[in-house]
Amino acid sequence: MEKINGGGGGFRAKMEHALYSGEKKYVIGGIAIIGVICGVPWYFMTRGSKQQSHQDYLEKADKARSARLSAGSSSTK
């Protein structure tokens, strides 16, 4: 027996319509889905860390550099 598509359409047909139609509701839905996919990992990555300013980063780098240089000069003696 053959399946007769009498206008209901299958899953694939509905997906292709949603992807290629450009209807406003599908565009907004796609933007929302992409936002959630990108937003959830970003939220979990940044929720525990304190945001550092560029100045804080430079000070930390200077301390590490001076510690590395002083350790290197003491080992050459």
Side-chain angles (χ1 to χ4, degrees), residues 33-68:
I33 290 170
I34 291 170
V36 168
I37 289 172
C38 295
V40 169
W42 175 81
Y43 169 76
F44 283 118
M45 286 190 310
T46 59
R47 69 178 174 162
S49 64
K50 178 183 156 246
Q51 297 296 322
Q52 292 183 340
S53 68
H54 185 63
Q55 187 64 34
D56 293 339
Y57 173 78
L58 290 176
E59 289 172 4
K60 198 173 187 180
D62 284 339
K63 286 180 187 176
R65 187 179 305 110
S66 63
R68 195 171 54 244

Side-chain angles (χ1 to χ4, degrees), residues 7-46:
F11 177 75
R12 183 173 178 170
K14 289 179 184 178
M15 281 302 297
E16 286 182 359
H17 174 71
L19 286 173
Y20 301 117
S21 68
E23 290 182 37
K24 191 181 233 180
K25 64 180 176 180
Y26 296 127
V27 172
I28 292 171
I31 292 171
I33 290 170
I34 291 170
V36 168
I37 289 172
C38 295
V40 169
W42 175 81
Y43 169 76
F44 283 118
M45 286 190 310
T46 59

